[in-house]
Amino acid sequence: MSSPAEFDRLAELDRRNVVDVDLGSDTFKANAHRHMAEWARRPPFYVLGKGPPQVVVGRYADVHRVFSDTETFASEMPKGPGWEQFHKFMDAQFVTQMDGNQHARLRRLLMPAFSSRRVEQLKESVTTIIERMLDRIESKGPDFDGMGDLGAHLVVDALLEAMIQMDPRRKAVFVAFHDVLPATTYTKPGEPFPEDCRVAMQRVMDEIKVIIEERRTKPHSDFISDLVNARDAGDKLTDKELFDQIFGLAGGSLSATSRAAGGALYLLYTNDDQRQQLIDNPALIPDALEECLRLGSNGYFTFPRVALKDTEVGGTRILKGMVVRPSPLSPNYDPDVFPDPLRFDIHRKPKRILSFGAGPHHCIGNILGRTAITIAITRLLARFPKAHISEPNFTPVYGGAVGELRLQRLPMRTH
C-alpha cells in the first residue's frame, strides 16, 4: 500500500472482531488496568480509526510471539504521511526500532554501557542523589507529591545526572523535551509534529552534538563516553547511530523508569499490610518490585510492529502492512501464566513478566531501571516508614503518550 489510508483489504477482516475504542483517551487510561485484564483473556482484535488499521495483542503467548518473531513482525515502521503517530522519536531511530543484523550489531555495541558492572558502579551515585531528593521532601514536609518530588525525578536527577553527568541547564533542556514528547503519538495522519515538539527536539539535538564532542575531547566515566568509545572487533557506532541512541535514551526511553516508579508507589501505598512487611524486612523489596512491575508497569503499549506478510496470531487474521500493537502489560494479567492475576502479592515472585518485552528486543536498560526504582523504594520506606497517601479518596489520573500510564500526582504525607 502507498499510504495507510489506502489499505483496501479491510473487507477481508472479520468485522465482529473490531473494537471501537480510543486507545489514547483519558477515559481509556483511567480504566487501563481493567482493559488489561480483558485483553489478557481474549484473542487479538482490530481497532480501526484514523491511520492504518491496528491489531491489539494482549494474551501472554500471543504477545511473546509478536515480540520474538522478527521475520513476521518488523520493528522499523514505514515512514511518510499517515505514519506520524508511530514515530515517537520523530526522525531518530533507536535500537528498539531496528531488526536483524542492524539491531544485533547496535545492541552488541551498546551492551557494555548497560552492563551489570556499569550499573553496579552507578549505585552509589544514584543512592546519593535519591537521598538528596528525600532530604528536600523532609525539609518541605510533611506533605509531598510522590510523583512530582520523587517518582518523576528518578529520570531527571538520578539517571540523567548519574549516567550522563548533566548540569542543571542541560537537564532542563532534556526535561522540556521529555514533557512534550507524548504529543508526537497523538499526531493525526498527514499532520506535522507539533511545533513545541520540533523546537524541543532541535534544542536536544544541539545539546547532544555538543556533549558528544566534549566526550571525544575529554572522556568521562559515564554512559555517553561508553558509547563514544564503544568498539567491537574494530566496529563502532557511526555519528548518526551515536546521536540516535543518546537521543532515544536520554530524550525518551528513560521516562519509562518514572512511569514504572509511579505504578510501584501507587500499589505499595494502597496495600498497607504488604508495605509494612517491606518496612520490617527490606530484603523482600526486590521481589516486591517484580510484582509491582507485573501489575503496574509503565504502559500498555511499547513500540509498534508492522506485519511483513499475511499471518495469524491466536486465531486472528493479520494482513501484510497492518500495525500490530503487542501490549507489555496485559500479558502480566494472563491467568494461564499468573494465577489469580488481579491479586497483588509481594511474595508471588513472578519470573516471566513481559513489562520489558521479550526476545531480541528485551529492554536493554531494564537492569538500570529496576536498580533505580529499588533504591528509591528502599530509601523512601527507611526514611519515612509512616508515609501514606494523604487523600482518602484519591483516584489516580494518568497522562503521557498513547500507550503510556504516567501517574500525574500522588499526594502523600511523611507521617
Side-chain angles (χ1 to χ4, degrees):
M1 59 182 177
S2 58
S3 77
E6 296 172 10
F7 201 102
D8 57 2
R9 298 179 59 194
L10 293 182
E12 300 180 36
L13 302 179
D14 183 353
R15 306 296 290 196
R16 295 170 299 179
N17 201 24
V18 174
V19 175
D20 183 14
V21 59
D22 183 346
L23 296 169
S25 70
D26 292 341
T27 300
F28 181 89
K29 291 188 177 189
N31 297 283
H33 295 95
R34 176 176 61 80
H35 291 300
M36 295 304 100
E38 294 170 354
W39 293 3
R41 290 173 166 84
R42 65 166 298 166
F45 59 91
Y46 309 119
V47 175
L48 309 178
K50 295 180 180 178
Q54 302 182 40
V55 184
V56 174
V57 184
R59 293 185 300 194
Y60 192 99
D62 298 337
V63 170
H64 196 282
R65 182 195 160 192
V66 174
F67 278 146
S68 304
D69 185 0
T70 57
E71 297 296 318
T72 304
F73 306 103
S75 301
E76 185 172 357
M77 300 297 290
K79 297 194 178 190
W83 296 94
E84 293 84 1
Q85 63 184 298
F86 303 111
H87 292 278
K88 181 178 179 180
F89 296 148
M90 292 180 269
D91 295 325
Q93 187 178 27
F94 195 44
V95 64
T96 49
Q97 299 164 288
M98 302 174 182
D99 291 307
N101 292 335
Q102 181 189 25
H103 173 264
R105 172 180 165 270
L106 262 290
R107 193 176 181 93
R108 187 173 62 249
L109 287 166
L110 290 172
M111 279 305 295
F114 291 96
S115 66
S116 297
R117 177 187 62 83
R118 173 55 89 187
V119 172
E120 191 65 31
Q121 292 172 346
L122 288 170
K123 274 187 177 180
E124 184 176 352
S125 295
V126 171
T127 301
T128 298
I129 292 166
I130 288 173
E131 287 289 0
R132 195 171 67 212
M133 294 158 62
L134 296 175
D135 287 343
R136 288 197 295 265
I137 288 173
E138 187 168 25
S139 67
K140 287 174 22 181
D143 294 300
F144 71 101
D145 180 355
M147 282 304 293
D149 294 320
L150 183 63
H153 286 269
L154 289 179
V155 176
V156 181
D157 289 340
L159 297 182
L160 288 182
E161 183 175 335
M163 283 185 67
I164 308 177
Q165 299 180 18
M166 286 191 180
D167 60 30
R169 184 194 65 79
R170 275 191 175 145
K171 281 196 289 186
V173 172
F174 280 84
V175 171
F177 181 66
H178 170 266
D179 289 344
V180 301
L181 190 61
T184 60
T185 63
Y186 289 91
T187 303
K188 295 178 181 179
E191 290 186 353
F193 291 118
E195 177 66 16
D196 57 351
C197 289
R198 289 187 281 118
V199 170
M201 178 182 180
Q202 187 60 54
R203 291 185 66 200
V204 168
M205 289 171 62
D206 292 342
E207 286 295 334
I208 290 176
K209 290 174 184 176
V210 173
I211 294 171
I212 290 173
E213 288 308 309
E214 288 176 354
R215 296 303 192 272
R216 281 177 169 155
T217 303
K218 188 177 180 180
H220 293 197
S221 178
D222 69 355
F223 169 79
I224 293 182
S225 293
D226 285 349
L227 296 189
V228 170
N229 297 318
R231 298 288 187 278
D232 183 74
D235 190 15
K236 65 178 183 178
L237 297 171
T238 67
D239 285 350
K240 184 178 188 311
E241 289 169 344
L242 180 60
F243 171 84
D244 284 359
Q245 304 324 300
I246 296 170
F247 177 83
L249 181 87
S253 289
L254 287 180
S255 64
T257 301
S258 67
R259 298 195 303 272
L265 289 171
Y266 180 71
L267 281 167
L268 290 176
Y269 282 90
T270 51
N271 289 273
D272 297 345
D273 58 332
Q274 300 199 57
R275 184 176 72 256
Q276 187 61 49
Q277 293 181 56
L278 302 184
I279 294 170
D280 296 339
N281 184 6
L284 298 173
I285 291 175
D287 286 336
L289 175 60
E290 291 305 298
E291 178 70 346
C292 290
L293 291 173
R294 181 185 73 83
L295 274 177
S297 59
N298 54 54
Y300 49 95
F301 284 145
T302 181
F303 291 100
R305 270 62 171 175
V306 63
L308 298 175
K309 58 188 176 184
D310 286 4
T311 186
E312 65 84 27
V313 172
T316 296
R317 190 175 185 193
I318 300 175
L319 305 178
K320 179 180 179 180
M322 292 185 77
V323 173
V324 182
R325 305 300 301 262
S327 173
L329 181 55
S330 66
N332 299 335
Y333 289 68
D334 191 327
D336 291 338
V337 181
F338 304 102
D340 194 8
L342 295 177
R343 178 174 57 88
F344 177 64
D345 179 6
I346 62 171
H347 301 287
R348 185 189 293 268
K349 299 182 180 180
K351 298 298 182 184
R352 297 190 293 158
I353 62 173
L354 294 187
S355 305
F356 293 96
H361 285 290
H362 187 259
C363 177
I364 195 171
N366 79 90
I367 296 175
L368 178 64
R370 281 180 162 102
T371 299
I373 300 171
T374 298
I375 293 172
I377 289 173
T378 301
R379 298 313 307 150
L380 176 64
L381 294 177
R383 285 282 293 270
F384 308 119
K386 295 183 179 180
H388 59 277
I389 294 177
S390 57
E391 295 180 9
N393 298 315
F394 173 72
T395 299
V397 175
Y398 299 98
V402 175
E404 290 182 353
L405 293 173
R406 283 193 194 178
L407 184 62
Q408 298 298 283
R409 58 187 286 268
L410 187 64
M412 298 181 67
R413 288 178 66 90
T414 57
H415 58 269

